[in-house]
Amino acid sequence: MNMEFANREYLLLLLLIIPYILWYVMLRKKSEPTIRMADTHVFRYAPRSWRVMLMPLQMVLRIVAFTLLVIALARPQTSDSMKNETVEGIDIMMAMDVSTSMLAEDLQDLGRGIQNRLEAAKNVAAEFIVGRPNDNIGLTIFAGEAFTQCPMTIDHAALLSQLENVRTDIAARGLIEDGTAIGMGLANAVSRLKDSQAKSRVVILLTDGSNNRGDISPMTAADIARSLGIRVYTVGVGTNGTARYPLNVGGRTQYMQIPVEIDTKTLGDIARSTNGKFYRATNTKELRQIYHEIDQLEKSKIDVQLYSRHYEVYQKFALGALIALLLEVLLRITIFRRIP
C-alpha cells in the first residue's frame, strides 16, 4: 500500500513549525511572569514539580495538531502499487443505418419479442461496447446523409448515452435526409480512424438496404479504407422476403409488408476489399452472434500500466488534529491553568 498527496504543496506549511519552536525556546521565557527575590540560593536544589516538567506538553500538542492539519489539507491518498498488464484494445467506429426502413419490425428476440431493426441493432451494439472496455469506440449514423454521433472515446458511459439517444424515427421526422448512403456512412467512419495510431482499426457497418444516396459510392469509400489499412465488417440486417413496416394513417398505426432489399453483393465486396467479412442477420440471435464473432476476431494485445483506485485518508489526520487541539485546550484550562 503506497501513500501519496494530491495537494503536496500544502506540506510547505510545516516549515512554520521551525520559527514557532525558536520563539518558544528563546523568547517565550522572557514573557513568563516572575517574582523578584533577594536571593534564590535556597531554591537551587528544590525539586521541580510535575506540572513544570509537563509544561512543554502544550507546545508538543500544538505542533502535533498543526502537523496533522497540514497533512489533512495535503489530501493523503492510498493506492495499491503499480503493475504492468497486457490488455486487448483497438480503435473501432460503428456505422449504423438509421433510415426509415430500419423501423421495420422483423427481428425476433427471445427476451424482448419482435423488435424493429434499429432497436435490435442498438441493444446488441450496447452489449458489444460493454464487452470491450479497453477499446476506443465511436459511432457514425447515416441515412441519406451521415454524421458522427459520438467520436471515438474510452468513456463508454458517454458513448452508450449517445447510442441510446439515436431515435428510431430520426429520418421519418425529417431530422436527417432519408435514404441509404452507405458510401457516406463508411467514409465518415473512415475519416474518424485515419489519424489513429492504433495497430488495428475497424469499421462495423450495419445496414438493411442498398446504396441510393450520397456523393461517395460504397466502393470508393471501401478503397479509401483499404488504402489506410482499415478493415470493414459489413452486416446486412433484416429477414428474407418481406417485413412488417408501421405506417401512421390518420393518427393510427397500421402495418404493411415491404420487400427486404439488401445489396449483399456490395456489402460483400466492401468486406472482401478491406480484408474484413460480410455477415447476414435475420434475427437478433444471429446479430448477437455476429458481434460476438467480430469480438473474437479483433483482439490486439497492448501493454499498459494499471493503477488501483485511490482512497482518501485525510479523515484520520483531521480527526487526530482535532483530538490534539482539544486535549491542549483541556490541559490549558485545568492542570496548566494560570492565575493572573
Side-chain angles (χ1 to χ4, degrees):
M1 190 76 69
N2 298 323
M3 179 176 291
E4 55 186 44
F5 296 92
N7 302 321
R8 60 178 67 247
E9 62 273 10
Y10 281 100
L11 295 177
L12 294 175
L13 293 173
L14 294 177
L15 295 176
L16 296 176
I17 295 176
I18 297 176
Y20 174 70
I21 294 176
L22 293 176
W23 171 82
Y24 185 86
V25 173
M26 301 177 61
L27 301 177
R28 190 171 182 276
K29 290 184 178 180
K30 296 181 180 179
S31 64
E32 290 289 333
T34 58
I35 301 176
R36 291 182 176 272
M37 302 186 67
D39 188 2
T40 60
H41 181 76
V42 69
F43 299 104
R44 179 181 302 177
Y45 301 106
R48 299 176 64 189
S49 71
W50 62 272
R51 285 189 177 87
V52 174
M53 289 188 292
L54 291 179
M55 193 72 71
L57 180 60
Q58 298 177 87
M59 180 197 69
V60 173
L61 288 173
R62 292 190 199 109
I63 292 176
V64 169
F66 179 76
T67 301
L68 294 176
L69 181 61
V70 170
I71 293 175
L73 289 174
R75 284 184 60 201
Q77 300 172 332
T78 60
S79 65
D80 294 333
S81 59
M82 177 186 71
K83 58 182 178 180
N84 295 321
E85 283 192 6
T86 299
V87 299
E88 298 167 342
I90 61 176
D91 286 354
I92 300 174
M93 280 298 297
M94 307 177 73
M96 189 173 295
D97 190 344
V98 294
S99 60
T100 54
S101 60
M102 291 289 286
L103 293 174
E105 300 175 359
D106 61 346
L107 292 190
Q108 178 71 38
D109 190 344
L110 294 178
R112 298 182 176 92
I114 296 179
Q115 295 180 297
N116 66 49
R117 296 166 183 172
L118 186 54
E119 285 301 322
K122 286 168 56 177
N123 292 333
V124 176
E127 296 171 8
F128 177 80
I129 292 168
V130 171
R132 300 190 68 97
N134 301 311
D135 293 334
N136 277 313
I137 305 178
L139 175 64
T140 288
I141 62 175
F142 66 93
E145 53 188 316
F147 65 90
T148 302
Q149 178 76 0
C150 181
M152 284 189 302
T153 178
I154 58 173
D155 184 358
H156 290 178
L159 173 60
L160 290 170
S161 176
Q162 291 297 317
L163 176 62
E164 180 62 28
N165 289 335
V166 176
R167 298 287 300 274
T168 55
D169 59 349
I170 186 172
R173 291 186 294 134
L175 298 180
I176 186 173
E177 182 184 347
D178 198 15
T180 305
I182 295 175
M184 296 291 289
L186 178 55
N188 181 282
V190 168
S191 69
R192 290 291 178 173
L193 288 166
K194 66 182 180 65
D195 295 326
S196 168
Q197 301 300 314
K199 292 182 179 180
S200 184
R201 296 173 293 173
V202 170
V203 173
I204 302 175
L205 187 147
L206 183 145
T207 182
D208 70 339
S210 57
N211 189 77
N212 55 26
R213 290 286 190 280
D215 299 326
I216 302 176
S217 71
M219 293 313 300
T220 298
D223 291 339
I224 297 172
R226 184 182 67 251
S227 67
L228 295 172
I230 298 172
R231 275 190 302 281
V232 182
Y233 294 95
T234 55
V235 181
V237 60
T239 56
N240 295 309
T242 60
R244 190 176 75 156
Y245 184 81
L247 289 175
N248 190 330
V249 180
R252 299 179 60 184
T253 300
Q254 297 184 5
Y255 293 91
M256 64 176 292
Q257 294 293 320
I258 62 172
V260 178
E261 299 176 350
I262 300 176
D263 190 351
T264 58
K265 182 181 183 305
T266 298
L267 294 178
D269 290 342
I270 292 173
R272 282 189 294 272
S273 67
T274 59
N275 199 29
K277 192 173 180 179
F278 167 63
Y279 299 93
R280 184 75 171 84
T282 60
N283 56 57
T284 304
K285 181 180 179 181
E286 291 178 353
L287 185 59
R288 189 172 284 110
Q289 289 173 343
I290 290 168
Y291 273 95
H292 178 71
E293 182 174 336
I294 296 173
D295 179 60
Q296 297 303 310
L297 288 172
E298 292 299 334
K299 299 291 186 182
S300 178
K301 295 184 180 296
I302 55 176
D303 293 326
V304 297
Q305 291 181 326
L306 298 179
Y307 299 84
S308 64
R309 182 179 178 181
H310 288 76
Y311 297 92
E312 300 281 354
V313 294
Y314 70 89
Q315 297 92 338
K316 61 178 68 175
F317 293 97
L319 179 61
L322 179 62
I323 292 174
L325 184 61
L326 292 176
L327 183 58
E328 190 275 333
V329 171
L330 180 63
L331 292 175
R332 178 153 43 89
I333 63 177
T334 56
I335 297 176
F336 302 118
R337 183 178 181 183
R338 296 180 181 182
I339 301 175

